[in-house]
Amino acid sequence: MKLRVNRWTAGVVTVVAFSISACAQDAAPYLSVPARDLPVPKTVSPELQKVLARPVPKPVTEMPANAEGWKKLQRTADEIGTARAKGLAEKLGVKVEPVQVGGVNCYRVTPKEIARGKEKNLLVHVHGGAFVFGAGLAATGEAVLLADACKMPVLSVDYRMPPDYPFPAAPDDVMAVWKAVLKEHDPATVVMGGTSAGGGLTMTAMLRCKAEGVPMPAALFIGTPGADLSKTGDTVFANAEVDHVLGRYEGRIEACVRLYAAGRDLKEPLLSPIYGDLAGWPPAILISGTRDMLLSSAVRTHRKLRAAGVPAELHVYEGQSHADYLGAYPAPESKDALAEIAAFFDRHLKR
Amino acid sequence: MKLRVNRWTAGVVTVVAFSISACAQDAAPYLSVPARDLPVPKTVSPELQKVLARPVPKPVTEMPANAEGWKKLQRTADEIGTARAKGLAEKLGVKVEPVQVGGVNCYRVTPKEIARGKEKNLLVHVHGGAFVFGAGLAATGEAVLLADACKMPVLSVDYRMPPDYPFPAAPDDVMAVWKAVLKEHDPATVVMGGTSAGGGLTMTAMLRCKAEGVPMPAALFIGTPGADLSKTGDTVFANAEVDHVLGRYEGRIEACVRLYAAGRDLKEPLLSPIYGDLAGWPPAILISGTRDMLLSSAVRTHRKLRAAGVPAELHVYEGQSHADYLGAYPAPESKDALAEIAAFFDRHLKR
């Protein structure tokens, strides 16, 4: 009888009595979680259910052996991204034009309709792709969606990437573009942001701005950021093999971030900006999902920003894996996330 | 070779090209997730690490056979809660006095220090405990923490519970107290909230206010709410056996909510307020954790509030299970959550 009561009290009563479950049993360094079947959530739109039903990618152990192998992989991947981005631009009537800014390849992304008063606003977009993928047009899909949702001009940075250009080429390029933008724009009229690697690079750009005394933009969009490139954060473990986009850290993700870091300590703040000083940053909106392997990265960034006194808001979407808010477009939840970003920018942009 | 490229593209490229992983493989109704060991996160304070290391409660299949069995369990559980609440009140110098309000047993909870200008403000607190536990002093611990953090008077509702008083006794009591409070307070000076069952009952009270034409409070604290009593929501599955507080839905949690619902459909909006109409509600702050079995309940409520035009903000804490922000007190993350609630109320309360 005593045991039964203990089992009961260990569970439910915690909410009343505040986690007294430790009284009875010793703590362990690991929690062994049994295998389980996760149904596709019925708590999301039918369109999103189809996306969430996609299989988790199988583990990959064979890495490209050399630069040529990486480039072949990049070409294959970026062909798919390019086709998707072109299709979105056409469908939404968004114009995508190559342009050089600050000596860096960029795309000027112009929506069909620019909202009145936003003609001089600008979103500097930093794309995702694990610091390795998304060259050229391949990663402009997000810029197209943002231009359309925010109804303002977007400048998407086609930063250099490994194998030829590892860290710090990408942040160098983002900073070169940003400094060139500042020559023609009041920073209060410009916002910056992106998803995954793009969220991480946006954060790194803020650390660089602070270190170099360069003004920061009016607001940031930090989408499920690559804020910590090491295997750190609770959901990197808890959502491994659950996240249908990233799969797990070991294998493809780790290979990409190590290719980018080129031998450096993954916890250097300019690589993993969560370890930097976030004080003085502009307001930021963060987006993630309950199955996102980088949910911890998003919530850690959110907490650290707020602890630093930065107005930061978090949106977590039911059942979504990493960056599903992009992948699920045009599902209602995807449009909802884009509308939250647009509304956030509107609250902080000077017209 | 083709296969290897597919495996790669299926994973990383999705961030660029937006989830093309489905191209290669068929979708499945279930995702089979292998067993895993979750380390205690090192990304939280040492104090919180100790809490997060607590074991997940073992499944319980043997339920109390009758009302006497439930009452015995309640007595045992509530003794622990009472001791904890008394200890907190003593430590923080918070005064807890029984009082009748609107014919309902309540506790007037007065912090050592009331902030200047907040003398006439009031937080109506609705306690947690799976709708079954937390009678009497047992659930005043949260009220004590809130009074101390918000530096304002708290009125904690000791609502009636099953087995003797199932639904709708609890919402009836909350409404009776709320109507009595309105006789002496401008609703703009009063806030309401609680955790778990208390968050759900707060939401149900708003549905009742709307239906009955009763004014609503100035703001709400909806802590990881029991907003959906059915086995619904992605993290009810994904965080089963991961959440060290709740364990899993089947067994103790389901038994409690069914005892409360007394045969009614668990998806009735007054039982599961996520299914109600949330338009016109006051601003709300929601709190959850990445291991919380009710994380989906929190994020679904957050999204539904925002879709209804209600200013709602979400705070998700790294590694935390259900209501760990209470159980981990005085860990820094617990104080942080209480400070967020206090600041949120300050932004919306009329002095």
Side-chain angles (χ1 to χ4, degrees), chain B residues 174-199:
Chain B
V174 174
M175 285 307 289
V177 171
W178 178 241
K179 288 174 186 172
V181 163
L182 285 177
K183 287 183 188 160
E184 294 180 6
H185 293 80
D186 173 357
T189 65
V190 186
V191 290
M192 187 187 285
T195 290
S196 195

Side-chain angles (χ1 to χ4, degrees), chain A residues 1 4-5 7-22 25-41 43 50-51 53-60 62-64 70 72-73 76-78 80-81 84 88 128-130 133-134 138-139 141-142 145 195-197 228 232-235 237-246 251-253 255-256 275 290-291 295-296 299-300 302-303 306-307 313-320 322-324 326-328 336 340 347, chain B residues 1 4-5 7-22 25-41 43 50-51 53-60 62-64 70 72-73 76-78 80-81 84 88 128-130 133-134 138-139 141-142 145 195-197 228 232-235 237-246 251-253 255-256 275 290-291 295-297 299-300 302-303 306-307 313-320 322-324 326-328 336 340 347:
Chain A
M1 183 56 203
R4 188 160 69 86
V5 171
R7 283 194 178 176
W8 266 93
T9 53
V12 175
V13 180
T14 48
V15 179
V16 180
F18 302 167
S19 294
I20 45 83
S21 56
Q25 296 158 277
D26 283 333
Y30 281 88
L31 168 63
S32 290
V33 181
R36 82 264 321 276
D37 286 343
L38 298 186
V40 174
T43 40
K50 280 183 202 158
V51 175
R54 290 174 185 169
V56 170
K58 294 211 163 36
V60 171
E62 199 184 339
M63 302 300 143
W70 278 106
K72 192 166 180 180
L73 208 55
T76 309
D78 288 349
I80 302 168
R84 162 93 180 176
L88 278 174
F133 298 97
E142 181 180 33
L145 294 181
T195 290
S196 195
D228 190 337
T232 306
D234 197 42
T235 60
F237 299 88
N239 281 338
E241 317 282 346
V242 171
D243 183 322
H244 75 87
V245 174
L246 294 182
R252 49 173 76 76
I253 303 301
C256 288
Y275 299 108
T290 63
R291 290 192 185 188
L295 172 60
S296 283
V299 307
R300 290 167 65 206
H302 184 230
R303 297 306 338 142
R306 292 189 68 90
E313 64 177 56
L314 174 69
H315 300 268
V316 178
Y317 283 85
E318 168 76 343
Q320 293 193 16
H322 188 63
D324 263 339
L326 300 178
D336 180 70
E340 286 282 7
R347 285 198 291 280
Chain B
M1 183 59 201
R4 187 159 69 85
V5 171
R7 283 195 179 176
W8 267 93
T9 53
V12 175
V13 181
T14 48
V15 179
V16 179
F18 302 169
S19 294
I20 45 85
S21 57
Q25 296 158 277
D26 283 334
Y30 280 88
L31 167 63
S32 290
V33 181
R36 81 260 326 271
D37 285 342
L38 298 186
V40 174
T43 39
K50 280 184 202 157
V51 175
R54 290 174 185 168
V56 170
K58 294 208 164 41
V60 172
E62 200 184 339
M63 302 300 145
W70 278 106
K72 193 166 178 177
L73 209 54
T76 309
D78 288 350
I80 302 167
R84 162 91 180 178
L88 279 173
F133 297 98
E142 182 180 32
L145 294 181
T195 290
S196 195
D228 189 338
T232 306
D234 197 42
T235 60
F237 299 88
N239 281 338
E241 317 281 347
V242 171
D243 183 322
H244 75 87
V245 174
L246 294 182
R252 47 173 78 74
I253 303 302
C256 287
Y275 299 107
T290 62
R291 292 192 185 187
L295 172 60
S296 283
S297 175
V299 308
R300 290 167 65 205
H302 184 230
R303 298 300 345 136
R306 292 190 69 90
E313 64 177 57
L314 174 70
H315 300 268
V316 178
Y317 283 85
E318 167 77 341
Q320 292 193 17
H322 188 63
D324 264 339
L326 300 177
D336 181 71
E340 287 282 8
R347 285 198 291 280

Side-chain angles (χ1 to χ4, degrees), chain B:
Chain B
M1 183 59 201
K2 183 69 183 153
L3 178 66
R4 187 159 69 85
V5 171
N6 269 348
R7 283 195 179 176
W8 267 93
T9 53
V12 175
V13 181
T14 48
V15 179
V16 179
F18 302 169
S19 294
I20 45 85
S21 57
C23 303
Q25 296 158 277
D26 283 334
Y30 280 88
L31 167 63
S32 290
V33 181
R36 81 260 326 271
D37 285 342
L38 298 186
V40 174
K42 295 287 179 281
T43 39
V44 302
S45 70
E47 298 94 315
L48 183 57
Q49 286 179 36
K50 280 184 202 157
V51 175
L52 302 189
R54 290 174 185 168
V56 170
K58 294 208 164 41
V60 172
T61 48
E62 200 184 339
M63 302 300 145
N66 50 36
E68 267 322 299
W70 278 106
K71 287 179 185 179
K72 193 166 178 177
L73 209 54
Q74 287 171 318
R75 278 193 300 274
T76 309
D78 288 350
E79 269 174 31
I80 302 167
T82 299
R84 162 91 180 178
K86 281 184 176 172
L88 279 173
E90 192 177 352
K91 189 183 159 189
L92 296 171
V94 173
K95 203 162 58 179
V96 180
E97 306 155 291
V99 61
Q100 283 253 332
V101 176
V104 174
N105 291 331
C106 295
Y107 290 93
R108 191 166 296 287
V109 180
T110 311
K112 194 159 65 178
E113 182 203 350
I114 294 178
R116 253 183 91 172
K118 286 195 190 178
E119 297 83 357
K120 294 191 173 171
N121 289 135
L122 182 69
L123 162 57
V124 176
H125 171 250
V126 190
H127 70 75
F131 303 95
V132 171
F133 297 98
L137 280 172
T140 55
E142 182 180 32
V144 167
L145 294 181
L146 287 167
D148 181 67
C150 300
K151 298 194 190 317
M152 72 178 172
V154 173
L155 181 68
S156 187
V157 186
D158 184 14
Y159 53 82
R160 290 168 297 157
M161 289 190 287
D164 290 342
Y165 302 100
F167 178 88
D172 282 352
D173 286 357
V174 174
M175 285 307 289
V177 171
W178 178 241
K179 288 174 186 172
V181 163
L182 285 177
K183 287 183 188 160
E184 294 180 6
H185 293 80
D186 173 357
T189 65
V190 186
V191 290
M192 187 187 285
T195 290
S196 195
L201 286 167
T202 298
M203 294 173 67
T204 292
M206 294 309 101
L207 296 177
R208 292 272 301 261
C209 281
K210 217 155 93 167
E212 299 174 25
V214 173
M216 295 180 189
L220 305 175
F221 156 49
I222 303 177
T224 176
D228 189 338
L229 304 194
S230 69
K231 191 182 177 185
T232 306
D234 197 42
T235 60
V236 175
F237 299 88
N239 281 338
E241 317 281 347
V242 171
D243 183 322
H244 75 87
V245 174
L246 294 182
R248 61 177 182 177
Y249 181 81
E250 303 85 344
R252 47 173 78 74
I253 303 302
E254 186 171 13
C256 287
V257 300
R258 291 202 181 277
L259 188 71
Y260 170 60
R264 284 168 183 263
D265 178 356
L266 293 180
K267 293 202 177 187
E268 276 186 31
L270 294 178
L271 281 164
S272 291
I274 187 82
Y275 299 107
D277 175 9
L278 279 50
W281 287 22
I285 180 169
L286 292 120
I287 300 195
S288 184
T290 62
R291 292 192 185 187
D292 186 354
M293 219 175 73
L294 298 196
L295 172 60
S296 283
S297 175
V299 308
R300 290 167 65 205
T301 301
H302 184 230
R303 298 300 345 136
K304 193 160 181 187
L305 284 169
R306 292 190 69 90
V310 176
E313 64 177 57
L314 174 70
H315 300 268
V316 178
Y317 283 85
E318 167 77 341
Q320 292 193 17
S321 292
H322 188 63
D324 264 339
Y325 55 88
L326 300 177
Y329 187 86
E333 289 88 345
S334 175
K335 291 183 175 175
D336 181 71
L338 291 163
E340 287 282 8
I341 297 165
F344 185 80
F345 285 159
D346 284 349
R347 285 198 291 280
H348 296 288
L349 267 176
K350 182 175 149 193
R351 301 295 174 91

Side-chain angles (χ1 to χ4, degrees), chain A residues 28-285:
Chain A
Y30 281 88
L31 168 63
S32 290
V33 181
R36 82 264 321 276
D37 286 343
L38 298 186
V40 174
K42 294 286 178 283
T43 40
V44 302
S45 69
E47 298 94 315
L48 183 58
Q49 285 179 34
K50 280 183 202 158
V51 175
L52 302 190
R54 290 174 185 169
V56 170
K58 294 211 163 36
V60 171
T61 49
E62 199 184 339
M63 302 300 143
N66 50 35
E68 266 323 299
W70 278 106
K71 287 178 185 178
K72 192 166 180 180
L73 208 55
Q74 286 171 318
R75 278 193 301 273
T76 309
D78 288 349
E79 269 174 30
I80 302 168
T82 299
R84 162 93 180 176
K86 280 184 175 170
L88 278 174
E90 192 177 352
K91 188 182 161 192
L92 297 171
V94 174
K95 202 162 59 178
V96 180
E97 306 156 290
V99 61
Q100 283 252 331
V101 177
V104 175
N105 291 332
C106 294
Y107 290 93
R108 192 166 296 286
V109 181
T110 310
K112 194 159 64 177
E113 182 203 350
I114 293 179
R116 252 182 94 175
K118 286 194 188 179
E119 296 83 358
K120 294 191 172 169
N121 288 135
L122 182 69
L123 162 56
V124 176
H125 171 249
V126 190
H127 71 74
F131 303 95
V132 171
F133 298 97
L137 280 172
T140 55
E142 181 180 33
V144 167
L145 294 181
L146 287 167
D148 181 67
C150 299
K151 299 195 190 314
M152 70 178 172
V154 173
L155 181 68
S156 187
V157 186
D158 184 14
Y159 53 82
R160 291 167 297 158
M161 289 189 288
D164 290 343
Y165 301 100
F167 178 88
D172 282 351
D173 286 357
V174 174
M175 285 307 290
V177 172
W178 177 240
K179 287 174 187 172
V181 163
L182 285 177
K183 286 182 189 162
E184 294 179 7
H185 293 79
D186 173 356
T189 66
V190 187
V191 291
M192 188 187 284
T195 290
S196 195
L201 286 167
T202 298
M203 294 173 68
T204 293
M206 294 310 101
L207 296 177
R208 292 273 300 261
C209 282
K210 217 156 93 166
E212 299 174 26
V214 173
M216 296 180 189
L220 305 175
F221 156 48
I222 303 177
T224 175
D228 190 337
L229 304 193
S230 69
K231 191 182 176 184
T232 306
D234 197 42
T235 60
V236 175
F237 299 88
N239 281 338
E241 317 282 346
V242 171
D243 183 322
H244 75 87
V245 174
L246 294 182
R248 61 177 182 178
Y249 181 83
E250 303 86 344
R252 49 173 76 76
I253 303 301
E254 186 171 12
C256 288
V257 299
R258 290 201 181 277
L259 188 71
Y260 169 61
R264 284 168 183 262
D265 179 356
L266 294 180
K267 293 203 178 188
E268 276 186 31
L270 293 178
L271 281 164
S272 291
I274 187 82
Y275 299 108
D277 175 9
L278 279 49
W281 288 22
I285 181 169

